[in-house]
Amino acid sequence: MRIFGRARQRPSTDWRLATHRAFTLIDDGRYEDAGELLTRAADLEPWLSESWFNLALLHKFRHDWERSRAAGLRAVALLERHAGAPDWWNVGIAATALQDWPLARRAWQAYGLDVPPQQDASGEPLGMALGGAAVRLSPEGES
């Protein structure tokens, strides 16, 4: 595959080290430091969808929905396989949080969910037959 006029290659060692360190920092709750490393990784390998997926994921953890949507859209634009990719999950969550219903519908469908055509005037889906679904609750009120 050729992207930006060059053959696709494996991520550099610097990219892998920065990404690994960033996820260690995320596990420690150090999102700002992790963000710097993931931004550096994306600068090193902008052609790699994983660079943008990781940034979208970080912004999702931080509830920065605008930045999560932007990074997620960059990730899905670089995907080799679109259907069912977890990148679409992140875009779907961010778009839903932002009430960007056309993008949310597109993302959830690309992820593989059957989104009904019924919608209200804003484009918000009126209901989905998801079967059993998990709901994440937090005693601290975060979720």
Side-chain angles (χ1 to χ4, degrees):
M1 169 179 235
R2 297 183 68 78
I3 299 176
F4 305 120
R6 64 179 217 189
R8 182 169 178 175
Q9 54 187 313
R10 291 181 42 136
S12 67
T13 300
D14 289 342
W15 182 92
R16 289 193 306 267
L17 291 171
T19 300
H20 180 353
R21 178 71 180 131
F23 278 98
T24 300
L25 293 170
I26 288 170
D27 289 343
D28 292 339
R30 296 176 54 194
Y31 296 136
E32 292 301 319
D33 296 331
E36 291 174 20
L37 285 170
L38 290 177
T39 299
R40 180 172 175 255
D43 288 342
L44 289 168
E45 307 289 357
W47 54 268
L48 188 63
S49 65
E50 287 88 348
S51 295
W52 304 105
F53 172 86
N54 293 338
L55 275 170
L57 189 63
L58 171 70
H59 296 313
K60 181 177 78 169
F61 292 156
R62 298 173 64 200
H63 300 170
D64 186 342
W65 304 119
E66 292 284 349
R67 291 174 75 184
S68 182
R69 176 177 58 184
L73 286 171
R74 287 193 74 169
V76 298
L78 294 168
L79 286 175
E80 291 182 23
R81 82 174 166 87
H82 287 271
D87 307 68
W88 284 110
W89 177 269
N90 285 337
V91 173
I93 288 173
T96 300
L98 292 168
Q99 298 181 6
D100 180 349
W101 302 123
L103 179 58
R105 178 179 303 279
R106 183 173 141 226
W108 292 124
Q109 287 172 334
Y111 182 70
L113 294 178
D114 184 26
V115 180
Q118 302 87 2
Q119 55 189 342
D120 68 11
S122 72
E124 180 177 1
L126 293 177
M128 293 176 64
L130 296 174
V135 176
R136 182 172 35 150
L137 302 175
S138 170
E140 289 84 31
E142 298 169 0
S143 299

